[in-house]
């Protein structure tokens, strides 16, 4: 594990519109060369120079981004290994694509803190800093774990869990055929395995496609739309997603549960959360909805707090204004098509000088300003999303690709007449890659499955 | 009153499957060895199935043989039938299984032990270990003999605080009404060992005169000669069949009606039983939708009419057992000659062991077999030989031998035990091995004979035979790589005769053999080997070339793991001092005390970040030291 080539996004996302991907390891130059086109190949470049060129898709030759690449040869580098730093200019999507391409060449995504760890292990950092390195690894890991937990509750993991359970059932069945040859379980046939794998292949392809479009996988900035009932939250959600998913009525308390949607606002992926309007209520269902809204608020990276232009400030508004103070947030004053009742100055004061955006979802007046404001906040670094989110997307894609490749090998192996128990090696690999996406332990699952699925014994 | 008895290098306690291998290995490695056991009449006794081998387990027997163990040779001499299982599947999972003549098996093993020059056998019950400065320096028997030794191997199986359970009847006992080991169990606890309570069970036995085999399916042995040992040349061709019948609705109903009398369900059993060996009452409850279960009727030997009823393990009361038997086709008149029972016993929590099987708590003390939480004769024997080897090496001042997960199923077994522990009696399964394709039944000698030779358990003449075989394989593979076919009319006709498509380019024979429809024999028709090759050599050539791609894939994975395996964790590492570790992994690491980063990474709850932190800590300590 220690000698392979690793990569990660080196700059915190959002701090500037330039992002740097750092690659370290013996093969760093040759591997980056697979996806780089410039005047020279990087391996021919002089150490410690900057090269200008493009990141291109190795098979389609399609240009992904215009880049500056810094080449630094061992040992005069941070990690004492060969290091390549790619400065991407084309925004988030380009960074992610570049990282993804790199991973497909065999570069491994760095573990949290791994560059510093290598620097330390290679004697680049002195001993007194060991504690600091440990702290860094711990902190980064905790952050990554937080992202992972969030993702494990999402749609992606539901898909992956069901794929995995399909695989593990098949594996258990194969295992029983092997370990208990005399047991009267049906013997799995190659044809059956191929059929199953083909359907999994389709599922994986679909997942990958959505991943690339950044719909399900791209976790995005968790953006909660919060506000009193009936201010127009669901309407805003529908306007931003250009779908009519959230139900809109003029009855306060329409939305009873949190609704998630993924959108791309000026290149920035958002996970929009439409929530139940928060107010004191006797209705049990609504109460649950309100609880969930509060939870959504807690896990939000960005809050869009909405109040009604056409009503005076209510007790609940004040309560909520207080609540969102701690979060990066924008105040949206909706229904500007109706006569003004609200006092902007009071809102401004109570919110602690947050940016206010008057708009009308109905006439779409002001929506542009909202989108612009979100973008500004992001690039100003005001939204604390860590690069882990992006990195984990790239990682997911890599793992899903691996899983798909393994499943494809099962199919081709079985079709060529390889014994099933051998093709099982690939199936297990697929299962493991998928497990890594959602961070699930692998070791004991299979054994458990065998004994719960089949009645074995003496 | 106690008295001073003789001194030994190694003492082995218990002559079960683990103890026999341990004692033979230590003695053959030149150590003066003593084997103490409760009864000389139950040496290598099989309290349950009269059978050895099967998937994973059979692989282990072959591995044992390649290391110089006895089990393979012994069963080759004493079986009543042998079968190769899984022949319809890939070569990695072919598995040999033998039905044993139990009494003969015991007799032959006893003879091997008696004949071994450095080995003394004595019938006695050990009650205590002799402790000096925290180390184990010998044993004290019930009769008061104090035997001194440099190392001790403890292999007492299911005897520790053994308790037999049949319905509401319970009594202290070892398996099959042998005397239990009570004092020794308490002594271990006093020494500070953490113990668990496990459970297992065995079915009733019946008299073959009282069964009707015409209602059953016959299960004969293979007609081809088979053997576990790579050295066996004399095959037993006169074989006895087993029989297959099934439980039915009547059986199930009857068991349902009597569930209230099952100790399993009335809470009388506290020990944890293995999921892979459920009792019949357990099967009926957990898999209620299955309308029949297989029952194999297996002879216990040639000189007896006693038959083992596989599939009917139970601790139901005796009268219920008899009645259940009679609901089964062919067993309507069956006479039960032994009653089935469950047995509870103490085992040592195996994470208290080093990978050498020496206990962390008491230097000089090794444990092996069912006492370590496993189940099965083969699993016991495998640990036995490793404990015997390492106990002897310790006496000789040598580093322990530890097999990797990529070397052998034995490596998988021991690593699982000492790294992950187990919360039920542990059985080997092929699915526990991540490199199954490398750990084949056919290549056990290629994997392990070198090791056996280095250790001193494989003698020179056998080793030379092995080297010759290995060379023959290599030469023939090279020849097939060099021999190329040109696509001309003559070649295409020959290929057509073999029922395989034309070739388009110049093709190596080594590649042609990868076609699923072609065997080595057929390749030979295209270009015969210049010298005559044995069946085993041809088999290796075929497997190694045919599955080359998959084998390569596995080897690559092994390579990755090896690097972590080679990073040793030094003794001075103090987990309480490493600030960044999560508290869960700190606790686990302290308990397991892994010897390498590889082992550490397999502990559940220890994640990659913890490993990174550990590396940094080690590096830091290394530089300050
Ligand atoms: C009822 C029953 C059912 C089983 N069912 C299965 C099964 O279905 N499948 C399976 O794989 N395995 C089964 N087993 C387990 C299998 O029998 C054991 O795993 C295997 O025999 C263990 O070998 P061992 O060498 O560890 O111990 P054993 O074979 O039990 O040998 C222990 C030896 O230690 C000796 N001993 C004990 N205490 C002392 C002492 N204080 N002093 C001196 N000598 C002592 C005994 O005399 C005995 O010779 C079963 C065992 C039993 C008892
Ligand atoms: N005039 C006007 N009406 C609007 C505007 N935006 C939303 N509405 C209307 O306000 C009502 C409530 O809108 P919703 O989007 O359901 O409000 P909500 O905040 O999601 O409400 P709850 O789910 O009940 O908390 C609907 O009748 C919308 O048509 C706007 O900009 N102008
Ligand atoms: Mg709503």
């Amino acid at each position: 594990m220690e000698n392979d080539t690793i990569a990660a996004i080196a700059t915190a996302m959002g701090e500037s519109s330039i992002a740097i991907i750092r690659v370290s390891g013996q093969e760093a130059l040759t591997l980056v060369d697979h996806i780089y086109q410039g005047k020279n190949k990087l391996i021919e470049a002089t150490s410690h120079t900057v090269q200008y060129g493009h990141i291109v898709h190795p098979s389609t030759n399609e240009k992904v981004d215009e880049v500056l690449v810094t080449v630094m040869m061992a040992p005069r580098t941070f990690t004492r290994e060969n290091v390549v730093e790619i400065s991407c200019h084309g925004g988030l999507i380009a960074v992610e694509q570049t990282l993804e391409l790199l991973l497909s060449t065999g570069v491994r995504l760095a573990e949290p803190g791994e560059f510093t760890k290598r620097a330390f292990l290679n004697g680049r950092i002195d001993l007194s800093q060991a504690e600091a390195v440990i702290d860094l690894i711990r902190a980064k890991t905790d952050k990554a774990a937080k992202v992972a937990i969030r993702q494990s509750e999402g749609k992606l993991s539901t898909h992956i869990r069901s794929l995995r359970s399909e695989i593990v059932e098949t594996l258990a069945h194969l295992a029983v055929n092997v370990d208990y040859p005399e047991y009267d379980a049906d013997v799995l046939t190659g044809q059956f395995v191929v059929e199953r794998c083909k359907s999994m292949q389709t599922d994986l392809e679909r997942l990958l496609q959505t991943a690339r479009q950044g719909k399900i996988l791209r976790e995005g900035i968790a953006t909660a739309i919060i506000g009193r009932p009936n201010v127009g939250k669901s309407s805003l959600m529908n306007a931003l997603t250009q779908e009519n998913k959230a139900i809109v009525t003029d009855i306060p308390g329409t939305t009873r549960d949190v609704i998630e949607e993924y959108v791309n606002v000026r290149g920035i992926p958002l996970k929009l959360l439409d929530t139940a309007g928060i107010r004191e209520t006797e209705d049990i269902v609504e109460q649950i909805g309100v609880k969930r809204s509060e939870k959504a608020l807690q896990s939000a990276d960005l809050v869009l707090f909405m109040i009604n232009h056409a009503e005076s400030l209510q007790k609940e508004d004040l309560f909520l204004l207080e609540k969102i103070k701690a979060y990066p947030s924008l105040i949206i004053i909706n229904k500007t098509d109706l006569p003004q009742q609200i006092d902007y100055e009071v809102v401004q004061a109570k919110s602690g000088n947050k940016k206010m955006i008057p708009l009308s979802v109905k006439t779409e007046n002001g929506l542009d300003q909202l989108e612009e404001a979100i973008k500004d906040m992001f690039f100003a670094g005001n939204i604390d999303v860590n690069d882990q989110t992006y990195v984990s997307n790239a990682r997911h894609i890599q793992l899903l690709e691996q899983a798909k490749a393994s499943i494809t090998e099962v199919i081709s192996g079985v079709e060529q007449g390889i014994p099933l128990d051998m093709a099982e090696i690939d199936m297990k690999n697929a299962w493991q890659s998928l497990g890594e996406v959602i961070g699930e332990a692998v070791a004991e699952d299979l054994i458990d499955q065998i004994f719960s699925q089949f009645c074995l014994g003496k | 009153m106690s008295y001073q008895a003789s001194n030994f290098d190694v003492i082995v306690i218990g002559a079960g499957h683990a103890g026999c291998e341990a004692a033979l290995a230590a003695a053959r490695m030149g150590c003066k060895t003593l084997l103490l056991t409760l009864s000389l009449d139950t040496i290598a006794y099989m309290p349950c199935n009269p059978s050895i081998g099967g998937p994973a387990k059979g692989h282990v027997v072959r591995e044992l043989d390649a290391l110089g163990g006895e089990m393979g040779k012994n069963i080759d001499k004493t079986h009543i039938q042998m079968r190769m299982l899984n022949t319809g599947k890939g070569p990695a999972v072919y598995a040999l299984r033998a039905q044993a003549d139990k009494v003969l098996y015991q007799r032959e093993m006893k003879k091997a032990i008696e004949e071994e020059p450095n080995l003394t056998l004595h019938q006695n019950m050990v009650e205590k270990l002799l402790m000096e400065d925290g180390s184990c320096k010998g044993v004290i028997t019930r009769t008061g003999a104090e035997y001194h030794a440099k190392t001790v191997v403890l292999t007492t199986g299911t005897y520790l605080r053994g308790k037999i359970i049949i319905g509401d009847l319970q009594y202290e006992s070892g398996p099959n009404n042998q005397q239990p080991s009570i004092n020794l169990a308490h002594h271990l606890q006093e020494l500070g060992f953490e113990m668990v309570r496990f459970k297992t069970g065995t079915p009733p036995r019946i008299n073959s005169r009282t069964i009707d085999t015409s209602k059953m399916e016959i299960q004969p042995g293979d007609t081809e000669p088979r053997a576990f040992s790579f050295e066996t040349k004399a095959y037993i061709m006169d074989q006895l069949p087993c029989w297959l019948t099934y439980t039915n609705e009547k059986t199930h109903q009857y068991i349902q009606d009597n569930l209230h009398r099952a100790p399993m369900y009335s809470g009388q059993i506290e020990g944890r039983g293995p999921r892979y060996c459920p009792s019949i009452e357990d099967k009926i409850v957990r898999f209620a939708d299955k309308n029949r279960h297989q029952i194999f009727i297996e002879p216990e030997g040639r000189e007896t009419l006693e038959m083992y009823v596989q599939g009917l393990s139970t601790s139901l009361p005796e009268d219920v057992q008899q009645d259940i038997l009679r609901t089964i086709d062919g067993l309507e008149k069956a006479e039960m000659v032994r009653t089935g029972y469950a047995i509870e016993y103490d085992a040592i929590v195996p994470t208290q062991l080093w990978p050498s099987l020496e206990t962390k708590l008491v230097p000089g003390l090794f444990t092996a077999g069912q006492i370590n939480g496993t189940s099965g004769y083969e699993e016991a024997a495998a640990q036995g030989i490793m404990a015997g080897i390492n106990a002897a090496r310790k006496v000789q001042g040598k580093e322990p031998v530890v097999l990797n997960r990529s070397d052998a199923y034995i490596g998988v077994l021991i690593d699982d035990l000492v790294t992950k522990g187990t919360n039920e009696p542990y059985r080997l399964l092929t699915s526990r091995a991540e490199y199954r394709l490398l750990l084949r039944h056919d290549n056990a000698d290629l994997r392990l004979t070198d090791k056996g030779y280095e250790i001193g358990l494989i003698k020179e003449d056998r080793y030379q035979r092995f080297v010759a075989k290995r060379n023959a394989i290599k030469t023939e593979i090279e020849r097939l790589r060099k021999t190329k076919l040109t696509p001309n009319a003559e070649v295409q006709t020959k290929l057509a005769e073999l029922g395989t498509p034309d070739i388009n380019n110049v093709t190596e024979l080594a590649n042609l053999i990868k076609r699923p429809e072609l065997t080595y024999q057929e390749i030979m028709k295209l270009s015969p080997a210049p010298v005559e090759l044995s069946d085993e050599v041809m088999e290796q050539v075929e497997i190694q070339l045919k599955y080359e791609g998959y084998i390569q894939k596995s080897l690559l994975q092994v390579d990755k793991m090896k690097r972590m395996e080679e990073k040793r964790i030094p003794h001075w590492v103090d987990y309480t001092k490493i600030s960044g570790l999560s508290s869960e992994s700190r606790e686990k690491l302290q308990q397991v005390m892994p010897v390498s980063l590889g082992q550490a990474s397999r502990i559940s709850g220890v994640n990659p970040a913890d490993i990174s932190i550990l590396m940094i800590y080690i590096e830091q300590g290394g530089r300050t030291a």
Side-chain angles (χ1 to χ4, degrees), chain B residues 243-430:
Chain B
W243 303 91
L244 171 61
T245 179
Y246 294 91
T247 61
N248 52 43
E249 299 294 343
K250 243 178 9 199
T251 321
H252 297 193
Q253 192 54 52
Y254 189 78
I255 292 172
Q256 282 291 357
D257 293 346
N258 284 281
L259 266 188
H260 60 282
R261 298 184 64 195
M264 286 287 293
Y265 292 94
S266 56
Q268 288 172 62
I269 292 189
E270 47 165 329
R272 197 61 202 257
R275 282 171 301 175
Y276 46 82
C277 282
S279 59
I280 185 71
E281 52 270 31
D282 219 10
K283 293 188 212 175
I284 304 291
V285 172
R286 282 181 46 214
F287 295 89
D289 53 337
K290 225 174 163 247
N291 54 20
R292 65 174 201 179
H293 295 276
Q294 291 162 311
I295 301 291
F296 290 93
I297 309 293
E298 307 172 355
E300 293 241 332
R302 289 178 197 273
E303 306 296 328
T304 175
L305 299 190
E306 193 172 338
M307 305 289 268
Y308 177 88
V309 187
Q310 202 218 108
L312 219 60
S313 172
T314 180
S315 55
L316 284 162
E318 193 168 78
D319 55 315
V320 182
Q321 293 190 24
Q322 177 69 70
D323 290 344
I324 293 174
L325 280 169
R326 299 212 163 142
T327 61
I328 297 171
D329 283 348
L331 302 185
E332 294 86 351
K333 301 208 171 87
E335 250 169 39
M336 181 166 81
V337 299
R338 274 186 228 239
T339 311
Y341 62 90
I343 184 166
E344 273 189 357
Y345 57 95
D346 287 353
I348 285 183
V349 172
T351 48
Q352 297 171 100
L353 306 175
W354 298 112
S356 63
L357 297 180
E358 187 171 19
T359 66
K360 292 166 190 167
L361 193 63
V362 178
L365 177 67
F366 295 73
T367 60
Q370 191 131 0
I371 190 176
N372 286 347
T374 60
S375 164
Y377 316 135
E378 305 83 351
E379 286 88 344
Q383 294 168 68
I385 196 170
M386 296 316 294
I389 288 170
N390 287 329
R393 284 175 78 91
K394 181 154 182 157
V395 169
Q396 295 161 349
K398 293 182 186 151
E399 284 291 303
V401 173
V402 174
L403 300 178
N404 282 323
R405 299 182 76 87
S406 52
D407 291 336
Y409 274 96
I410 300 179
V412 173
L413 163 73
I414 295 178
D415 182 63
D416 276 350
L417 285 177
V418 304
T419 308
K420 299 181 186 149
T422 179
N423 51 18
E424 67 182 330
Y426 177 103
R427 177 207 206 266
L428 260 181
L429 297 164
T430 64

Side-chain angles (χ1 to χ4, degrees), chain B residues 211-223:
Chain B
I211 69 175
D212 180 359
T213 54
S214 69
K215 294 188 176 164
M216 306 179 186
E217 287 166 39
I218 190 163
Q219 305 268 302
D222 287 349
T223 48

Side-chain angles (χ1 to χ4, degrees), chain A residues 120 182 409 416 424 448 456 458, chain B residues 201 278 294 311 436 516 553:
Chain A
F120 179 83
E182 278 152 342
E409 300 230 333
Q416 278 164 38
E424 184 222 17
D448 289 345
L456 305 160
K458 57 178 179 178
Chain B
Q294 291 162 311
R436 191 162 81 184
K553 216 184 272 182

Side-chain angles (χ1 to χ4, degrees), chain A residues 228-235 247-255 277 334-335 337-338 360-362:
Chain A
R228 267 193 302 122
N230 223 27
V231 291
K233 299 181 296 296
S234 302
S235 309
I247 299 166
V248 172
T249 72
D250 55 3
I251 305 161
T254 302
T255 305
N334 186 30
K335 309 199 186 180
D337 54 299
L338 299 178
S360 162
V361 178
K362 192 173 172 188

Side-chain angles (χ1 to χ4, degrees), chain A residues 255-260 272-276 289 291-296:
Chain A
T255 305
R256 298 296 184 95
D257 202 351
V258 177
I259 299 173
E260 279 182 25
L272 275 183
L273 302 160
D274 179 22
T275 64
K291 281 242 169 62
R292 293 206 180 132
S293 302
E294 286 180 348
K295 197 176 151 215

Side-chain angles (χ1 to χ4, degrees), chain A residues 83-343:
Chain A
V83 170
V84 176
E85 287 183 354
I86 309 170
S87 310
C88 301
H89 295 74
L92 296 168
I93 309 285
V95 177
E96 272 195 73
Q97 273 180 10
T98 305
L99 186 59
E100 198 190 310
L101 285 181
L102 260 179
L103 299 183
S104 72
T105 66
V107 173
R108 174 169 63 79
L109 195 65
E111 307 274 352
E114 196 170 3
F115 288 101
T116 320
K117 176 179 112 183
R118 286 191 177 197
F120 179 83
L121 293 177
N122 293 332
R124 178 71 170 63
I125 299 182
D126 76 61
L127 281 177
S128 60
Q129 284 171 277
E131 284 298 311
V133 180
I134 289 180
D135 287 348
L136 173 87
I137 292 176
R138 191 77 269 162
K140 286 213 171 192
T141 306
D142 292 347
K143 232 175 177 183
K146 232 169 98 185
V147 174
I149 285 170
R150 243 202 250 153
Q151 286 171 336
S152 72
E153 290 167 357
K155 279 189 205 164
L156 167 68
S157 46
T158 320
H159 268 102
I160 292 200
R161 286 214 175 86
S162 83
L163 270 175
R164 286 191 94 221
S165 69
E166 213 174 304
I167 297 180
V168 79
E169 265 172 39
T170 313
L171 283 174
H173 202 145
L174 279 172
V176 159
N177 288 165
V178 166
D179 275 315
Y180 295 85
E182 278 152 342
Y183 175 66
D184 54 353
D186 303 334
V187 174
L188 267 194
T189 61
Q191 194 198 344
F192 177 81
V193 171
V194 167
E195 272 165 24
R196 271 209 153 175
C197 285
K198 283 201 168 143
S199 101
M200 287 188 230
Q201 214 179 14
T202 322
D203 284 351
L204 280 168
E205 188 42 52
R206 201 173 303 138
L207 273 179
L208 270 164
Q209 258 167 26
T210 35
R212 291 205 193 89
Q213 293 161 358
K215 223 178 167 194
I216 297 181
L217 285 187
R218 181 160 298 131
E219 196 46 27
I221 299 162
T223 307
I225 312 175
I226 305 279
R228 267 193 302 122
N230 223 27
V231 291
K233 299 181 296 296
S234 302
S235 309
L236 178 66
M237 169 95 156
N238 290 343
L240 288 174
T241 56
Q242 288 161 5
E243 277 178 53
N244 281 326
K245 199 169 162 196
I247 299 166
V248 172
T249 72
D250 55 3
I251 305 161
T254 302
T255 305
R256 298 296 184 95
D257 202 351
V258 177
I259 299 173
E260 279 182 25
E261 228 6 278
Y262 293 80
V263 287
N264 210 313
V265 169
R266 312 215 164 174
I268 300 154
L270 300 186
K271 178 172 90 176
L272 275 183
L273 302 160
D274 179 22
T275 64
I278 296 181
R279 62 168 173 184
E280 277 189 37
T281 171
E282 305 274 275
D283 183 323
I284 301 280
V285 182
E286 201 181 334
Q287 270 175 12
I288 295 172
V290 171
K291 281 242 169 62
R292 293 206 180 132
S293 302
E294 286 180 348
K295 197 176 151 215
L297 178 65
Q298 276 157 26
S299 66
D301 296 319
L302 170 66
V303 174
L304 302 180
F305 175 56
M306 186 178 266
I307 48 182
N308 193 341
H309 178 85
E311 280 175 23
S312 58
L313 214 52
Q314 313 274 308
K315 176 170 105 247
E316 285 104 334
D317 290 327
L318 287 169
F319 168 75
L320 287 171
L321 268 172
E322 197 49 45
K323 264 206 157 165
I324 61 154
K325 260 194 185 155
Y327 297 86
S329 37
L330 293 168
I331 315 278
I332 297 169
I333 303 174
N334 186 30
K335 309 199 186 180
T336 51
D337 54 299
L338 299 178
Q340 177 177 353
Q341 289 290 331
I342 201 147
D343 186 338

Side-chain angles (χ1 to χ4, degrees), chain B residues 456-474:
Chain B
L457 289 176
I458 296 291
K459 298 285 168 286
E460 192 62 36
D461 54 335
R462 173 166 177 187
Y463 188 61
Q464 288 314 326
R465 281 195 295 278
F466 162 74
V467 171
K469 171 180 170 187
R470 184 164 60 190
N471 289 340
I473 297 166
K474 201 168 146 234

